[in-house]
Amino acid sequence: MFDLPKSIVLEDESLRDGLQIEKTQLSVDEIIRFVKAMEDAGVRRIQVGSFVHPKWVPQMANTDQVFQELERRPDVVYTALVLNQKGLERALKCRVSHLSVSISASETHSQKNTHRSLADSLLHIREMISSSVASGVTTRGGIQSAFGCAYEGAISVDVVCDIARLYDSLGAHEINLADSAGMANPRSIHEMVARVRAAVSPRVKLSLHLHDTRGLGLANMVAGLQAGVTTFDSSLGGLGGCPFIPKAAGNIATEDAAYALQEMGVETGIDWRKLADLAIKLEERLGHPLPGRLAHLPRAA
Amino acid sequence: MFDLPKSIVLEDESLRDGLQIEKTQLSVDEIIRFVKAMEDAGVRRIQVGSFVHPKWVPQMANTDQVFQELERRPDVVYTALVLNQKGLERALKCRVSHLSVSISASETHSQKNTHRSLADSLLHIREMISSSVASGVTTRGGIQSAFGCAYEGAISVDVVCDIARLYDSLGAHEINLADSAGMANPRSIHEMVARVRAAVSPRVKLSLHLHDTRGLGLANMVAGLQAGVTTFDSSLGGLGGCPFIPKAAGNIATEDAAYALQEMGVETGIDWRKLADLAIKLEERLGHPLPGRLAHLPRAA
C-alpha cells in the first residue's frame, strides 16, 4: 500500500527562512512582488517575514511595512515568525493572523541561537504561545533541531514529545517539527510523527519543516505524507541553509515539492512551472544559483 | 509501519554509466585504483565498464584491459554492460561473471539510442540474454526509461511487464528497472515494482537504477526499499546524467545512499565517509563538481 493524503498545503518560507541568511536585502516592493507572484502560482500559505530586532536580522527590518502595504487575499494565509513579546505586539498591530513561535529541542543549539537555556526557553515560549493564542491568532509552535542537532547529534524523542505536549496544553493550533540541520531520515520522520501524534490532542495539526542538507528532503516529505502530515514548509529554489554548515543546501524547493506531489496525485493547487520561473528570478536577484532541480531543467521536461 | 529490508546491495556504476558521458578518459591504472578504493570502502558490486565499440563510447575503450589487469576479490562482484554478441564474446574472454544487457521500453528512446525499433530490440535482446545465460554468466536484463521517457512521456506499465516476462522466460537472473530520465516518483516506483514482481518468477531479483534529475532519487530508493527491492545502482558523487537533458543531475550518489541507509538501519557494508572522500577525488580528476551532498559537507556533520 502507498497511501498518501489527497491534498496538502505548502508554506513557502523563501521570504523569511530563505532570505534571513542572504546578504542581499529585498525592498518592500520586491517582497510584495514575490508574494504576489507566489499567489499567482497557487501558493496558499506564505511566510512573509519575521518580527525580530533589525540588529539581529537586518534582512527582516521591513516586515512591518510589508504587512502594512500588502493587499491580502482571503484565500491565502500570510504567516510570520515572532521571537518575543515586542515582536508579537508588532505582529498584532500588523493584523497578522497566523504566527510561528519556536524553540530548539537541543540545549546547545538553544544556547547558541538565543543565549537561553532550554529551561529558560520553555518558560519564555509558554508566555509567547499563551499571548498569541489569547490574541485570537492561529498559533504554530515550532520545535527546531527535532531530528538531530548539528552540535549535539541525536535528540531525544521524549524531549520533543514533552515540548509538543506543552504547546498542546497552551492551545497552540499547529506543531511544526523542524529538521533544522537536515539530519532526519524517512524512518525517523515516520517514527517521530507517530510519537508526537500520539502525544497531543487530535485538534492539533502537525507540520514538517525539512532541509535537504543530505539529499533526503523530498524522501522525508514522502515519509511525512505516509505518516499523515498535510503541511510542509518549503522555499523557492530551495533557498536557505544552515548557518552552522557552510554551503549546505536549504529547505526543500517549493517547485520541486509541488511537482513531486502532483506526479503522485496529491493536490497542492500550485503550478510548479510558474514557481520554477520565479525561482530563477530569485536566484538572478540574489546573484547565486539555488539548489532546486526543476528550475534548471528545460520547462517541457 | 515503516518496514525496510535488513541489508541491501549498492552497485556502483561510476566507472561505466558515470564516466561514459564525461570528456575525461581515465587510464586503466586510474580505473583500477578507483575500483580498489571502492572495495576498501566496502562496495561489494562494481560496474567496471562496458564492452561497446570504442567508436561509440571511447571512454570505455579500455574495459578489456581493466578486466585483464584487475585483481578480483572473491567477495566483490564485478559487472559490465554488453550491447551485442561481439561485446558478449569480449566479456566472456575477460571472465566477467555478471553482465547487464538492456533495452528501452520507449520506441523513440530505442530508435535514438540504438537505431533499432522496440520490436527489433526485443529480438536482439532475446538472443543476447539467451547466450549470456547459456554461458553461465549471472545475467541482468535492464529496462531503460521504465518510468517515463524524455521523448514520449509516460510509458505503459504493461510494456514494462511484457519485457520483464520475456527476460524471465529467457532465464535472466535479475531485472533492472531504470529511471533513465529521472521521471519516476515514489508512488510510480511502488506500483511498478509491485506489478513487475507479480509478473515474473520469484527466483528473479529486481533492482532499480535511479536518477536524481528532479531531486527524487533517494525518495525513490526508499519507495523501492518499502516495495522490497534490495539492489540499487548508484555512482560516486552522483556522477552521470542524461544526454538529452543538459545539466541534469545523474545517478543517486553512492555515499549519500549509503549514509541514508545506515541512518535507517539498513546494512550496506559501506563506509560512506571513505566514499565521500573518493567522490571529492573523482570530481578533482574530472575537473567539475558533482551533485552528491555528503561529499561537500564537513565530515563530522
Side-chain angles (χ1 to χ4, degrees):
Chain A
M1 286 294 288
F2 203 81
D3 280 334
L4 303 180
K6 280 218 168 54
S7 71
I8 67 120
V9 171
L10 292 178
E11 168 164 332
D12 188 281
E13 300 206 342
S14 313
L15 301 170
R16 200 278 307 166
D17 189 31
L19 285 185
Q20 72 180 15
I21 64 158
E22 291 291 326
K23 282 184 197 129
T24 306
Q25 180 156 3
L26 299 195
S27 70
V28 169
D29 279 357
E30 284 179 307
I31 291 175
I32 290 177
R33 274 204 298 277
F34 271 107
V35 170
K36 292 290 148 200
M38 283 194 258
E39 288 173 2
D40 180 52
V43 183
R44 289 296 167 263
R45 200 157 136 181
I46 301 169
Q47 191 154 77
V48 173
S50 92
F51 294 94
V52 290
H53 197 291
K55 199 175 81 184
W56 302 121
V57 191
Q59 298 90 332
M60 297 292 117
N62 55 19
T63 295
D64 307 74
Q65 206 188 332
V66 170
F67 270 104
Q68 278 148 15
E69 297 190 10
L70 180 69
E71 203 179 304
R72 301 182 216 181
R73 287 171 48 151
D75 57 343
V76 175
V77 175
Y78 305 89
T79 75
L81 181 71
V82 288
L83 298 178
N84 52 34
Q85 287 290 343
K86 183 80 203 306
L88 177 59
E89 282 160 31
R90 285 164 57 197
L92 293 175
K93 203 175 279 177
C94 291
R95 299 177 297 107
V96 182
S97 63
H98 191 295
L99 284 175
S100 285
V101 289
S102 126
I103 59 170
S104 176
S106 151
E107 183 67 47
T108 316
H109 183 207
S110 181
Q111 296 274 8
K112 299 240 180 198
N113 210 23
T114 63
H115 308 286
R116 278 200 189 98
S117 69
L118 184 48
D120 278 354
S121 294
L122 285 168
L123 282 175
H124 170 76
I125 203 87
R126 181 184 283 273
E127 221 181 304
M128 292 288 299
I129 297 266
S130 305
S131 305
S132 179
V133 170
S135 310
V137 172
T138 303
T139 304
R140 152 164 145 166
I143 306 177
Q144 296 163 47
S145 294
F147 299 92
C149 168
Y151 302 109
E152 293 193 5
I155 290 293
S156 153
V157 179
D158 292 331
V159 169
V160 175
C161 286
D162 284 346
I163 300 173
R165 269 189 219 99
L166 173 68
Y167 282 153
D168 183 12
S169 71
L170 298 169
H173 305 87
E174 179 180 325
I175 292 171
N176 183 260
L177 303 169
D179 184 23
S180 317
M183 291 170 73
N185 65 67
R187 189 191 283 277
S188 68
I189 291 277
H190 205 270
E191 289 171 0
M192 180 70 82
V193 169
R195 286 285 304 278
V196 173
R197 185 71 277 169
V200 299
S201 334
R203 69 161 188 86
V204 177
K205 268 189 100 75
L206 296 189
S207 58
L208 286 168
H209 180 97
L210 303 170
H211 280 229
D212 198 33
T213 323
R214 287 160 182 82
L216 284 166
L218 294 180
N220 289 338
M221 178 184 78
V222 175
L225 291 168
Q226 290 180 306
V229 176
T230 57
T231 304
F232 297 86
D233 299 346
S234 58
S235 69
L236 287 171
L239 182 67
C242 182
F244 326 113
I245 311 176
K247 292 201 297 177
N251 295 271
I252 54 172
T254 312
E255 67 278 13
D256 291 359
Y259 162 84
L261 290 159
Q262 176 182 299
E263 293 291 303
M264 293 189 293
V266 179
E267 280 173 36
T268 62
I270 292 174
D271 180 340
W272 66 264
R273 286 178 180 82
K274 285 187 179 174
L275 280 191
D277 291 341
L278 197 59
I280 294 294
K281 275 186 195 153
L282 184 58
E283 66 180 25
E284 282 167 3
R285 177 66 183 89
L286 297 175
H288 63 79
L290 296 173
R293 290 291 164 75
L294 283 162
H296 304 111
L297 295 181
R299 245 357 136 253
Chain B
M1 287 293 288
F2 203 80
D3 278 334
L4 303 180
K6 280 220 169 52
S7 71
I8 66 120
V9 171
L10 291 178
E11 169 164 329
D12 187 282
E13 301 207 342
S14 313
L15 302 170
R16 200 278 305 167
D17 189 32
L19 285 184
Q20 72 180 13
I21 64 158
E22 291 291 324
K23 283 183 195 130
T24 306
Q25 181 155 4
L26 299 195
S27 70
V28 169
D29 279 357
E30 284 178 307
I31 291 174
I32 290 176
R33 274 202 298 277
F34 272 106
V35 169
K36 292 289 146 199
M38 283 194 259
E39 289 172 2
D40 180 50
V43 183
R44 288 296 168 261
R45 201 157 134 181
I46 300 168
Q47 191 154 76
V48 173
S50 94
F51 294 94
V52 291
H53 197 291
K55 200 173 81 187
W56 302 121
V57 192
Q59 298 90 331
M60 297 292 117
N62 56 18
T63 294
D64 308 73
Q65 207 187 331
V66 170
F67 269 104
Q68 278 148 17
E69 297 190 11
L70 180 69
E71 204 178 302
R72 300 182 218 182
R73 287 170 49 149
D75 57 343
V76 176
V77 175
Y78 306 88
T79 76
L81 180 72
V82 289
L83 297 177
N84 53 35
Q85 286 291 342
K86 183 79 204 307
L88 178 58
E89 284 161 29
R90 285 164 57 197
L92 293 174
K93 203 174 281 176
C94 290
R95 300 176 297 107
V96 183
S97 62
H98 192 295
L99 283 174
S100 284
V101 290
S102 128
I103 59 170
S104 176
S106 151
E107 184 66 46
T108 317
H109 183 207
S110 181
Q111 296 273 7
K112 299 241 179 198
N113 210 24
T114 64
H115 309 286
R116 279 198 189 100
S117 69
L118 184 48
D120 277 356
S121 293
L122 285 167
L123 283 174
H124 171 76
I125 203 86
R126 182 183 283 273
E127 221 181 303
M128 292 287 299
I129 296 268
S130 305
S131 306
S132 179
V133 170
S135 308
V137 172
T138 303
T139 303
R140 152 164 145 166
I143 306 178
Q144 296 162 47
S145 293
F147 298 92
C149 167
Y151 303 110
E152 293 192 5
I155 290 292
S156 153
V157 178
D158 291 332
V159 169
V160 175
C161 286
D162 284 347
I163 300 172
R165 270 188 217 98
L166 174 67
Y167 281 153
D168 182 12
S169 71
L170 297 168
H173 305 87
E174 178 179 327
I175 293 172
N176 181 261
L177 302 170
D179 184 23
S180 317
M183 291 171 73
N185 64 68
R187 188 191 284 278
S188 69
I189 292 278
H190 206 269
E191 289 172 358
M192 179 70 83
V193 169
R195 286 284 304 278
V196 173
R197 185 71 277 169
V200 301
S201 334
R203 68 161 188 87
V204 177
K205 267 188 102 75
L206 296 189
S207 58
L208 286 168
H209 179 98
L210 302 170
H211 280 229
D212 198 34
T213 322
R214 287 160 182 82
L216 285 165
L218 293 180
N220 290 337
M221 178 183 80
V222 175
L225 290 168
Q226 290 181 304
V229 176
T230 56
T231 305
F232 297 86
D233 299 347
S234 58
S235 68
L236 286 170
L239 183 66
C242 181
F244 324 115
I245 311 176
K247 294 200 295 176
N251 295 272
I252 54 173
T254 311
E255 66 279 12
D256 291 359
Y259 163 83
L261 290 159
Q262 177 183 298
E263 293 291 303
M264 293 189 293
V266 179
E267 280 173 35
T268 63
I270 292 173
D271 179 340
W272 66 264
R273 287 180 179 81
K274 284 188 180 175
L275 280 191
D277 292 340
L278 197 58
I280 294 294
K281 275 188 196 152
L282 185 58
E283 67 179 25
E284 281 167 2
R285 177 66 183 90
L286 298 173
H288 62 79
L290 295 173
R293 290 289 164 76
L294 283 162
H296 305 112
L297 296 182
R299 239 8 129 248

